[in-house]
Amino acid sequence: LDRIAETEPSIHALITVREQALEEARALDAQGPDASKPLWGVPVTVKDAIVTKGTRTTAGSKILGGFNPFYDAFVVERLKEAGAVIIAMGSSTENSAFGPTRNPRDPERIPGGSSGGSAASVAANQCYASLGTDTGGSIRQPAALCGCVGLKPTYGRVSRYGVIAYGSSLDQVGPLARTVEDAALVLSVIAGHDKRDSTSSPRPV
């Protein structure tokens, strides 16, 4: 959170910083480390098009400026089950109603879109990893421009339940991280069948 406060004025990668994050982290501390939770205590950000219970989720639009979801997206459920602490919601960059995101490597350059906030938050060391959504390059392009790792999973590998879609027949949620190993770990957490998404693959992870 200190790193976010330090870097946000120049980067603007995030729309909402979750007030609940510290409380959730303290609850994890009270429980103690849990080897069954591969992301125990790890700070993660998610794109502002992935609904998170009780946290403003806008998809970068003023129309949704007051939208506080009453449920978690499948991938958010998975992150929480794995012990991650979701600290903020990333913006969708150039065309966001909340203002553009800057590339942490060079603030005069764009971070790419539409998951530019997610890529920028990783590149600026605001988090360990982030989730974005990819329709036709929206994870991979920002990852390339910001110098981090981004992966669009095979369609159906990750549930789209709770995702505000750009193109529902194309969108996939995927990880952004600083290393391939970190991206693989996050994917292993969010992948899997979800009966609430009819296109979700039943194949084993």
Side-chain angles (χ1 to χ4, degrees):
L1 293 174
D2 288 344
R3 178 64 181 168
I4 287 171
E6 177 187 343
T7 56
E8 262 308 280
S10 60
I11 303 301
H12 195 237
L14 309 170
I15 289 179
T16 302
V17 178
R18 299 182 69 240
E19 295 178 1
Q20 307 97 309
L22 273 178
E23 181 181 338
E24 291 168 3
R26 290 188 184 105
L28 286 169
D29 278 340
Q31 295 167 14
D34 185 342
S36 70
K37 297 183 176 183
L39 296 178
W40 186 90
V42 170
V44 176
T45 62
V46 300
K47 186 175 180 177
D48 195 39
I50 300 171
V51 301
T52 303
K53 185 177 180 180
T55 302
R56 183 175 67 153
T57 306
T58 72
S61 170
K62 286 184 179 178
I63 290 174
L64 296 175
F67 176 48
N68 285 290
F70 58 87
Y71 70 101
D72 284 325
F74 173 84
V75 292
V76 172
E77 292 174 346
R78 285 294 183 93
L79 287 176
K80 289 180 177 180
E81 289 168 6
V85 179
I86 299 169
I87 54 175
M89 314 291 281
S91 101
S92 59
T93 69
E94 298 100 308
N95 296 313
S96 169
F98 299 92
T101 300
R102 303 295 180 190
N103 192 319
R105 310 289 182 191
D106 180 354
E108 296 303 311
R109 298 180 184 271
I110 65 167
S114 62
S115 300
S118 297
S121 68
V122 170
N125 294 315
Q126 294 179 341
C127 59
Y128 161 81
S130 188
L131 296 185
T133 59
D134 194 311
T135 305
S138 297
I139 288 174
R140 295 162 288 171
Q141 182 206 48
L145 294 182
C146 291
C148 57
V149 176
L151 173 69
K152 179 182 183 179
T154 302
Y155 192 79
R157 179 70 292 174
V158 179
S159 171
R160 293 175 298 111
Y161 175 77
V163 174
I164 301 170
Y166 273 8
S168 188
S169 62
L170 297 169
D171 283 0
Q172 279 295 276
V173 180
L176 293 104
R178 280 186 286 281
T179 69
V180 171
E181 184 178 14
D182 290 348
L185 175 59
V186 174
L187 179 60
S188 73
V189 167
I190 64 173
H193 180 65
D194 179 13
K195 64 183 180 181
R196 297 166 297 188
D197 178 356
S198 62
T199 64
S200 175
S201 173
R203 293 187 178 190
V205 175

